[in-house]
Amino acid sequence: MKMRLAASLALFCAAVPAALAQTVPQGYPASYGEVIAAAEKEGALSIYATADASEVSDLLAQFRALYPKLKVEYADQNSTELYSRYVAEAAAGKTADFIWSSAMDLQIKLVNDGYALTYASPEKTALPDWAKWKDQAYGTTAEPIVFAYNSRLVPEAEVPRSHADFAKLIAQKKDAYRSKVTSYDPERSGVGFLYITQDVQISPQTTWDTVKAMGQAGAKFYTSTGAMIERVVSGEHTLAYNMIGSYVLQRNHKDPTLAYVLPKDYTQVMSRIGFVSAKARNPNAAKLFLDFLLSRAGQVELAKKAMTSVRTDLQETHGITSLPGVGDVTLRPIRVGPELLTQLDQITRLRFIKQWQKTLAAN
């Protein structure tokens, strides 16, 4: 995925009168005023993220309206590019202030390697325990991992409702679904590697059966969610495995051709992890942005783009439990914490990739 650098947030909104600038938010300690003052003195904020700039433009505009003295720069890129770029720049001593990515394991590796600033957000009490780690890593969304399909081309009776159903369908009808199945490439996609390795931990036999069936059906693998969505909508592919639900749900609202399923046996729940960089030149501005992301206002804005809220007090209205059919599934949140490091061990990762390649090639 070609990296795109968004312009300054000034392009997203007109100048906002200083009178509208945010004071200490309700419920925050009075000392938070010092963080705001320090951030305004810094005057800038640099964000590296995996969410497309177009998807978060309104969110960024709201933040700019609250803190008009901050010049915000936002760079979106895919998860592996973000990780590599950040590590290289941090070694050189100059990089982004806030890191926000859907590749949860890569984010936790950065935190574990000392790249995150310790900061106890005033919003952390509103988060479930699985969504925070050491006052350094914070889950900012709770998004389902779904199956997506072309509703015009996949008969309703064939739509897989569980992981076992998915494997069975394409194994039994591999000719009908030849080259019609798609998913992330775990060799090149950080999120793809995360989701499939989580599947293996939850249901190993079913997952490897699915990989084998995808290989026999000539499945195609990508690093870009957008590319897969467009190909499913066009009919080039008709069935997609382990898609980030927020992108699928948002497209579904506009075009029901792209339909989706929350797998009943278990639906993984991913979160976009954010942290303030230990190398930040503008750490106070980054703290403001983190707190805004986790605030009710920020969470409601994210939910408008189907990035469902992680807050416990917004679940029924803007969270994953507000989605249709969620009451019939078992939700399996991916915990923000050191457990995510297991699969990133180089020997473990290599072993997995070799098994992935071998299973795909099996007849």
Side-chain angles (χ1 to χ4, degrees):
M1 172 181 173
K2 184 178 179 181
M3 183 177 70
R4 301 178 301 283
L5 294 179
S8 166
L9 187 56
L11 295 178
F12 294 129
C13 60
V16 179
L20 296 182
Q22 175 71 300
T23 56
V24 175
Q26 185 177 3
Y28 281 34
S31 60
Y32 196 76
E34 298 173 7
V35 178
I36 296 175
E40 291 179 339
K41 185 175 181 180
E42 291 166 354
L45 171 64
S46 173
I47 302 167
Y48 287 173
T50 55
D52 291 348
S54 60
E55 294 299 305
V56 294
S57 60
D58 291 341
L59 176 89
L60 296 175
Q62 279 197 28
F63 179 74
R64 178 65 175 84
L66 290 173
Y67 303 107
K69 294 182 181 181
L70 299 182
K71 179 183 178 182
V72 179
E73 294 183 353
Y74 185 92
D76 64 26
Q77 52 226 281
N78 78 27
S79 55
T80 50
E81 288 174 339
L82 184 154
Y83 175 85
S84 299
R85 180 184 183 187
Y86 177 75
V87 170
E89 291 181 350
K94 181 181 179 181
T95 188
D97 303 308
F98 190 79
I99 311 302
W100 189 28
S101 173
S102 52
M104 299 176 69
D105 48 357
L106 294 179
Q107 288 290 84
I108 290 300
K109 178 168 173 51
L110 288 174
V111 173
N112 191 65
D113 289 347
Y115 288 105
L117 187 72
T118 298
Y119 172 61
S121 170
E123 300 287 353
K124 73 175 187 175
T125 56
L127 306 183
D129 289 341
W130 64 262
K132 50 195 174 184
W133 185 45
K134 297 199 315 183
D135 288 344
Q136 293 181 329
Y138 292 91
T140 63
T141 60
E143 303 169 50
I145 304 304
V146 305
F147 303 153
Y149 63 98
N150 185 306
S151 62
R152 293 183 292 104
L153 300 175
V154 177
E156 187 65 22
E158 287 187 8
V159 175
R161 305 293 173 180
S162 70
H163 291 81
D165 287 348
F166 196 104
K168 182 179 179 181
L169 173 66
I170 56 178
Q172 293 184 345
K173 297 192 174 185
K174 56 179 175 287
D175 291 334
Y177 284 94
R178 185 163 303 281
S179 299
K180 294 297 185 180
V181 181
T182 185
S183 189
Y184 295 105
D185 183 347
E187 297 185 59
R188 298 184 297 135
S189 166
V191 295
F193 180 81
L194 170 64
Y195 304 152
I196 193 70
T197 53
Q198 289 290 311
D199 277 337
V200 169
Q201 291 181 46
I202 297 169
S203 184
Q205 186 60 56
T206 297
T207 302
W208 289 119
D209 286 348
T210 302
V211 174
K212 181 179 179 179
M214 287 195 291
Q216 292 176 339
K220 305 298 181 182
F221 302 99
Y222 300 87
T223 61
S224 167
T225 307
M228 287 189 282
I229 286 176
E230 293 305 324
R231 285 166 172 78
V232 172
V233 170
S234 72
E236 179 179 344
H237 305 313
T238 58
L239 193 59
Y241 181 83
N242 272 6
M243 297 283 281
I244 297 177
S246 54
Y247 298 116
V248 175
L249 269 63
Q250 189 174 6
R251 182 61 176 265
N252 171 262
H253 292 160
K254 301 175 183 177
D255 182 1
T257 298
L258 184 71
Y260 67 92
V261 167
L262 302 176
K264 287 188 176 183
D265 52 337
Y266 68 89
T267 293
Q268 292 192 55
V269 180
M270 60 78 70
S271 187
R272 298 168 193 270
I273 296 178
F275 65 83
V276 177
S277 173
K279 302 286 186 178
R281 299 180 68 182
N282 306 294
N284 292 288
K287 292 174 184 177
L288 295 187
F289 186 68
L290 172 63
D291 295 336
F292 175 68
L293 277 181
L294 298 177
S295 71
R296 290 180 64 89
Q299 293 281 291
V300 168
E301 191 59 48
L302 286 171
K304 291 179 182 177
K305 298 297 184 179
M307 299 181 204
T308 37
S309 175
V310 71
R311 289 180 64 104
T312 56
D313 58 354
L314 288 177
Q315 284 307 297
E316 296 304 318
T317 55
H318 297 85
I320 193 171
T321 57
S322 69
L323 298 178
V326 74
D328 298 328
V329 308
T330 298
L331 298 177
R332 293 290 296 264
I334 302 173
R335 178 171 290 276
V336 176
E339 300 89 349
L340 287 167
L341 297 174
T342 304
Q343 297 298 321
L344 290 181
D345 172 78
Q346 288 303 307
I347 295 176
T348 302
R349 187 180 192 282
L350 181 60
R351 185 183 300 119
F352 175 85
I353 293 300
K354 285 184 176 179
Q355 185 169 357
W356 162 267
Q357 293 171 339
K358 180 181 178 179
T359 307
L360 276 182
N363 293 321

